[in-house]
């Protein structure tokens, strides 16, 4: 909620900033446009002024060249005589001489015409005497230059020739006699066409206007005789009085003057009716009574200003775009950094969480380890206690078994010895011998038991060897013969010759077999069928010797435990519960294994698996 309000505020602010920037940019663009226009117009003005200076000095020089001509020529004697004595006998000759003379001078000076006027204003001689538009006989008394010269001053005038219709500048000066009296006037007319032609080669438009603003000379033929000032009746009358423009009536030009800063602008309508704007500079030339105007087309300058403004706007736009892009990039960068920071914080939080979890787990594990160690110690202690108890119990049971095994033969030996004593007295030596034989057998049996116990007690460390299973079985059967006979067991063996020797210790193997046979005898004891079956087979390098009986078999519930030490189902004094445990470990020592299964006779079947002995291993029992 707060975040979206913040975003809205940011958006509004951005919009306001954008609007202000836009207004500023427009104002700036307008300002730049105006400044560029002003700059280019001023530049144009400077160019026009340079042109004005050039043109003005050229014009002044040009006028000065002809200004002194009347003065120079006025002193010429033939001319003076001609004007002094117009009616002399040789006039015709002098006139023609004057004509020729004027013609020559005109050609040398490059002026339009040179002519001599009498005091009444009639032209007496002229350089153009031979042409149809000759000035000879023309009266110029109306021309201001004539009146000026006649009064003794230098006459100047510019205007359209009334006879020739050609524009020109007129200079006139008095011709004096030797006494200094004015007797005539000499005038020079200079054409302006050449000067105008030079002006046309430039881009600037050049105008020369008279005091009333009427264009007398112009680089644009259209503008000739057009008034660049309002053409008042007074001005028009003045022009007509001097016949400056002969038959041509000046007209008013379509002119509109404005200003851009310090630059004067004038819009002039041409004959083609379209308006053209010019920069105008002008100068009054007092010697000639002229105003010189230089006009420069403003359109290219304005176009340049527009280009500069356009470029500026483009630059401004590009800068604005750049700024926007920069702003967006910075915003993105800020967002990215914020996201990175958030991710970092999240990661740190998770690491912290995980660390706490791990620490907890570690503490739990440590506690568990401690607990296990304690349990293990407790277990070991209990086990040690149990072993101790078991040992004591085993000792008691072994003692019981031992006394049973020894006491019986001892009692029998005593009986045999007692009866032998009586039989000796009776002289029945044969029966005495029989008794002694029995006694020897019993003693042998007791010795065997003793030996057996000794064998059990000691763990021989001797090496294994090849043992003939048939021999080992025969030995074991011999050891157990009494017991087997006692229970009335029917023993059957099936030990093929080709079995080969098994890898074992002969004495310990016999011990195992005795154990198994004793257990089998115990199992079949008192049963209707009392069969014990010993058989062996070879599978590859393994020999499997099975002792099976027709006893009750091993109940599945105790099958796992019968190999545990001291596990017995037999009553006190009857079983130690060590037989299978010892046997299991002995077979394991041989590299074989001892398992229990269900026998074919319905009882238990104990299987001894042994490796076949290497041929190099010694055979026999003596070595162990
Ligand atoms: P003990 O014979 O002194 O009891 P053993 O370790 O030799 O000790 O045997 C452990 C137990 O295994 C016996 O108490 C008996 O329950 C069972 N057992 C051993 N051999 C047989 C067998 N052939 N048939 C049935 N049960 C047997």
């Amino acid at each position: 909620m707060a975040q979206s309000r913040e975003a809205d505020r940011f958006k509004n602010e951005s919009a306001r900033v954008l609007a202000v920037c836009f207004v500023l940019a427009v104002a700036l663009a307008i300002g730049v446009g105006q400044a560029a226009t002003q700059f280019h117009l001023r530049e144009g003005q400077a160019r026009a002024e340079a042109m004005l200076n050039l043109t003005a000095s050229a014009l002044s020089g040009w006028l000065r060249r002809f200004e002194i001509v009347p003065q120079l020529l006025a002193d010429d004697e033939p001319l003076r005589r001609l004007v002094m004595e117009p009616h002399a006998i040789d006039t015709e000759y002098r006139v023609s001489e004057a004509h020729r003379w004027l013609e020559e001078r005109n050609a040398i000076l490059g002026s339009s015409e040179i002519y001599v006027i009498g005091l009444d204003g009639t032209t007496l001689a002229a350089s153009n005497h031979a042409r149809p538009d000759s000035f000879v006989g023309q009266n110029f008394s109306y021309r201001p230059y004539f009146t000026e010269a006649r009064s003794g001053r230098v006459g100047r005038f510019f205007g359209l020739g009334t006879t020739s219709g050609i524009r020109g500048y007129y200079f006139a000066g008095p011709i004096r006699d030797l006494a200094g009296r004015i007797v005539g006037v000499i005038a020079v007319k200079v054409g302006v066409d050449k000067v105008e032609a030079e002006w046309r080669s430039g881009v600037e438009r050049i105008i020369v206007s008279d005091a009333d603003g009427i264009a007398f000379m112009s680089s644009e033929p259209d503008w000739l005789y057009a008034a660049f000032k309002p053409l008042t009746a007074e001005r028009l009358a003045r022009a007509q009085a001097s016949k400056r423009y002969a038959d041509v009536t000046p007209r008013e030009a379509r002119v509109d003057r404005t200003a851009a800063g310090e630059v004067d602008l004038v819009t002039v309508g041409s004959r083609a009716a379209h308006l053209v704007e010019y920069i105008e500079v002008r100068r009054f030339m007092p010697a000639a009574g002229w105003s010189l105007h230089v006009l420069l087309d403003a359109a290219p300058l304005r176009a340049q200003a527009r280009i500069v403004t356009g470029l500026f706007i483009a630059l401004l736009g590009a800068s604005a775009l750049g700024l926007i892009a920069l702003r967006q990039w910075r915003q993105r960068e800020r967002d990215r950094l914020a996201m990175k920071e958030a991710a970092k914080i999240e990661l740190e939080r998770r690491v912290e969480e995980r660390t706490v979890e791990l620490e907890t787990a570690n503490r739990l594990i440590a506690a568990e380890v401690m607990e296990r160690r304690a349990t293990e110690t407790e277990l070991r202690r209990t086990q040690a206690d149990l072993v101790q108890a078991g040992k004591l119990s085993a000792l008691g049971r072994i003692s019981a078994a031992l006394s049973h095994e020894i006491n019986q033969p001892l009692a029998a030996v005593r009986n045999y010895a007692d009866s032998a004593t009586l039989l000796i007295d009776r002289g029945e030596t044969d029966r005495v011998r029989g008794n002694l034989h029995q006694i020897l057998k019993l003693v042998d049996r007791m010795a065997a038991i003793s030996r057996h116990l000794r064998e059990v007690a000691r763990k021989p460390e001797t090496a294994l060897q090849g043992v003939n299973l048939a021999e080992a079985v025969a030995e074991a059967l011999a050891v157990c013969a009494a017991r087997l006979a006692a229970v009335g067991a029917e023993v059957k063996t099936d030990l093929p010759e080709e079995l080969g020797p098994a890898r074992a210790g002969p004495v310990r193997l016999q011990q195992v077999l005795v154990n198994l046979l004793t257990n089998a005898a115990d199992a079949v004891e008192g049963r209707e069928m009392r069969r014990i079956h010993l058989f062996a087979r070879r599978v590859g390098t393994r020999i499997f010797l099975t002792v099976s009986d027709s006893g009750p078999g091993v109940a599945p519930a105790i099958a796992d435990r019968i190999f545990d030490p001291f596990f017995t189902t037999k009553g006190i004094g009857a079983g130690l519960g060590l037989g299978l445990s010892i046997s299991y470990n002995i077979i394991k020592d041989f590299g074989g294994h001892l398992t229990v299964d269900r026998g074919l006779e319905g009882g238990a079947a104990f299987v001894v698996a042994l490796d076949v002995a290497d041929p190099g291993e010694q055979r026999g029992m003596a070595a162990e």
Side-chain angles (χ1 to χ4, degrees):
M1 205 43 198
Q3 220 170 16
S4 81
R5 254 210 311 276
E6 178 72 12
D8 281 354
R9 200 179 61 76
F10 182 73
K11 252 189 222 165
N12 287 342
E13 202 170 291
S14 299
R16 264 205 301 280
V17 167
L18 271 179
V20 168
C21 284
F22 182 72
V23 169
L24 280 177
V26 169
L28 199 64
I30 290 170
V32 166
Q34 281 175 349
T37 307
Q38 188 59 228
F39 174 80
H40 283 95
L41 289 179
R42 265 167 184 263
E43 208 181 52
Q45 189 188 35
R47 259 166 58 196
E49 254 157 19
M51 189 63 192
L52 181 73
N53 286 337
L54 222 86
T55 313
S57 58
L59 260 181
S60 306
W62 177 69
L63 288 174
R64 264 200 307 276
R65 248 175 72 199
F66 295 102
E67 193 178 9
I68 54 162
V69 169
Q71 259 174 296
L72 286 173
L73 298 184
D75 285 343
D76 192 71
E77 195 48 39
L79 287 185
R80 190 182 292 135
R81 268 217 305 271
L82 179 72
V83 288
M84 279 174 69
E85 298 167 31
H87 307 296
I89 302 157
D90 58 347
T91 301
E92 203 173 323
Y93 166 73
R94 269 185 276 161
V95 166
S96 68
E97 199 184 16
H99 282 329
R100 197 175 42 78
W101 191 87
L102 289 172
E103 205 175 342
E104 261 174 36
R105 295 294 174 280
N106 191 44
I108 292 165
L109 290 168
S111 47
S112 292
E113 310 299 346
I114 304 176
Y115 47 104
V116 174
I117 308 166
L119 286 178
D120 62 345
T122 308
T123 306
L124 301 173
S127 57
N128 64 352
H129 64 94
R131 292 212 303 269
D133 55 353
S134 166
F135 291 169
V136 180
Q138 297 280 333
N139 190 300
F140 294 119
S141 58
Y142 59 91
R143 289 291 204 192
Y145 66 85
F146 172 75
T147 43
E148 285 285 309
R150 219 188 127 187
S151 316
R153 291 185 293 270
V154 177
R156 296 162 191 273
F157 184 71
F158 57 90
L160 195 62
T162 41
T163 319
S164 63
I166 294 168
R167 282 169 302 143
Y169 199 98
Y170 300 82
F171 291 101
I175 301 173
R176 295 173 193 269
D177 63 8
L178 295 173
R181 283 188 308 251
I182 296 167
V183 290
V185 166
I186 180 161
V188 179
K189 182 185 177 184
V190 193
V192 296
D193 292 356
K194 274 188 204 158
V195 179
E196 275 182 344
E198 272 173 35
W199 292 349
R200 282 189 200 109
S201 60
V203 289
E204 293 86 357
R205 311 278 188 276
I206 297 168
I207 304 169
V208 169
S209 65
D210 65 12
D212 294 322
I214 298 164
F216 170 68
M217 287 166 75
S218 168
S219 59
E220 291 292 294
D222 276 3
W223 294 349
L224 274 179
Y225 315 120
F228 282 76
K229 279 183 189 170
L231 192 59
T232 56
E234 194 188 336
R235 283 174 175 161
L236 196 62
R238 241 197 321 265
Q240 275 164 355
S242 65
K243 292 193 181 173
R244 193 189 289 276
Y245 303 115
D247 305 335
V248 180
T249 313
R251 62 182 195 284
E252 203 162 322
R254 288 196 290 145
V255 172
D256 189 15
R257 286 178 200 282
T258 50
E262 293 164 21
V263 182
D264 290 333
L265 295 169
V266 57
T267 310
V268 184
S270 72
R271 213 186 299 167
H274 73 270
L275 298 169
V276 180
E277 188 190 40
Y278 297 97
I279 293 171
E280 184 187 34
V281 289
R282 55 182 183 267
R283 183 177 301 168
F284 181 62
M285 295 174 68
W290 287 349
S291 278
L292 178 63
H293 308 242
V294 173
L295 305 183
L296 182 66
D297 194 346
L301 302 167
R302 284 196 187 276
Q304 273 180 354
R306 273 198 298 277
I307 289 169
V308 168
T309 312
L311 281 175
F312 175 77
I313 289 170
L315 197 75
L316 203 69
S319 307
L321 283 175
L323 275 176
I324 289 169
L326 185 73
R327 207 175 127 92
Q328 282 180 349
W329 176 80
R330 278 173 56 184
Q331 184 60 42
R332 271 203 305 276
E333 198 64 6
R334 268 202 297 277
D335 290 353
R336 200 177 63 77
L337 282 177
M339 271 168 70
K340 211 169 138 184
E341 188 59 31
K344 198 176 134 194
I345 290 169
E346 173 64 15
L347 195 72
E348 274 170 8
R349 190 187 61 75
R350 278 164 62 184
V351 165
E352 229 163 75
E353 241 177 53
R354 195 86 187 96
T355 310
V356 169
E357 275 173 26
L358 281 173
E359 274 171 3
T360 314
N362 276 349
R363 269 199 301 279
L364 284 175
I365 288 169
E368 209 169 304
V369 167
M370 294 266 286
E371 204 175 305
R372 285 200 179 179
R373 278 199 189 132
T375 313
E376 205 178 297
T377 316
E378 180 65 21
L379 206 67
R380 280 186 205 285
R381 206 172 48 73
T382 314
Q383 202 176 29
D385 289 353
L386 271 175
V387 168
Q388 189 57 28
K391 276 180 184 167
L392 290 172
S393 152
L395 194 64
R397 275 180 282 175
I398 287 167
S399 309
L402 201 62
S403 60
H404 174 74
E405 288 294 323
I406 301 294
N407 284 346
Q408 264 189 340
L410 276 178
V413 167
R414 188 182 170 79
N415 287 340
Y416 280 122
D418 276 350
S419 78
T421 315
L422 291 172
L423 289 172
I424 287 168
D425 291 344
R426 283 189 219 155
E428 289 180 43
T429 52
D430 281 350
R431 285 186 65 187
V432 170
R433 192 173 287 115
N435 273 17
L436 285 175
H437 183 68
Q438 284 303 328
I439 287 169
L440 281 174
K441 265 174 72 179
L442 285 168
V443 167
D444 281 350
R445 179 173 153 71
M446 282 187 289
I449 288 168
S450 158
R451 195 180 71 230
H452 180 58
L453 282 171
R454 203 174 65 241
E455 293 297 339
V456 170
R458 130 184 117 92
K459 185 177 178 184
E461 298 295 329
T462 45
L464 301 179
Q465 53 187 281
V467 177
N468 186 316
L469 279 187
E471 284 174 18
V473 167
E475 294 268 348
L477 283 172
V479 172
C480 300
R483 178 65 188 144
L484 291 168
V487 296
E490 184 190 324
V491 180
K492 190 177 140 197
T493 58
D494 180 8
L495 303 162
E497 269 301 309
E498 65 278 7
L499 271 181
R503 192 157 173 273
V507 176
R508 280 179 291 160
L509 180 60
Q510 189 196 327
Q511 194 180 331
V512 171
L513 293 175
V514 168
N515 271 332
L516 294 179
L517 281 170
T518 314
N519 281 344
D522 289 348
V524 298
E525 186 174 17
R527 290 181 75 87
E528 205 178 313
M529 197 159 55
R530 297 176 294 276
R531 280 196 201 135
I532 296 173
H533 192 186
L534 287 113
F535 60 93
R537 67 197 151 86
R538 178 174 169 166
V539 179
T541 57
R542 279 290 221 194
I543 295 172
F544 297 88
L545 171 65
T546 309
V547 181
S548 84
D549 60 60
S550 59
V554 180
I558 58 164
D560 286 345
R561 293 162 58 205
I562 55 171
F563 295 104
D564 292 347
F566 305 113
F567 177 83
T568 179
T569 54
K570 296 164 193 170
I572 297 169
L576 294 176
L578 284 171
L580 283 182
S581 165
I582 291 168
S583 303
Y584 182 87
N585 286 309
I586 288 171
I587 300 300
K588 225 171 94 182
D589 285 347
F590 295 164
H593 56 81
L594 174 63
T595 51
V596 66
D597 206 349
R598 188 159 184 79
L600 291 170
E601 324 274 351
F606 286 85
V607 182
V608 178
L610 292 169
D611 285 332
V612 175
D614 292 335
E617 278 172 331
Q618 205 186 343
R619 294 183 67 171
M621 295 178 68
E624 198 170 28

